[in-house]
Amino acid sequence: TSGPGATNLTTGLMDAALDRVPVIAVTGLKPRAGMHYSEFQDVDQSRLFAAGGLNSTDVPAPEALAPLLRDAISTAVTRRTCVHLAIPVDVQAAP
């Protein structure tokens, strides 16, 4: 949820952004309690995608998901770019 899949996604998103194709990419993250503790194949996804000039946001809490997704769709469509949302597994599992 936090390493190789996100790094593999980078090339496709950068290419789509250069072609001005609106894309919303959603990836998983490890639980929020484990954030900022390095583990095997752990990647700071927001920094990775932002370094390539992409919009990237970590979803901090379950109640933030809907507004961030709405903003991501708006940004991708109006700016014709790629937007990345990283959702921690505990946020995904929340009711």
Side-chain angles (χ1 to χ4, degrees):
T1 57
S2 61
T7 60
N8 290 334
L9 181 61
T10 307
T11 303
L13 289 181
M14 303 261 306
D15 188 41
L18 288 172
D19 291 340
R20 300 188 44 84
V21 176
V23 174
I24 299 168
V26 178
T27 60
L29 284 176
K30 62 185 177 181
R32 292 173 289 172
M35 295 289 209
H36 308 296
Y37 293 101
S38 184
E39 296 176 9
F40 178 66
Q41 294 187 337
D42 189 22
V43 173
D44 185 337
Q45 295 179 23
S46 288
R47 286 183 62 193
L48 172 70
F49 292 117
L54 302 174
N55 295 294
S56 183
T57 303
D58 293 346
V59 178
E63 59 275 4
L65 179 57
L68 287 173
L69 184 56
R70 200 171 22 251
D71 290 347
I73 293 168
S74 176
T75 299
V77 171
T78 60
R79 293 180 51 199
R80 299 192 53 78
T81 190
C82 298
V83 179
H84 168 252
L85 290 178
I87 308 173
V89 293
D90 57 313
V91 172
Q92 295 175 35

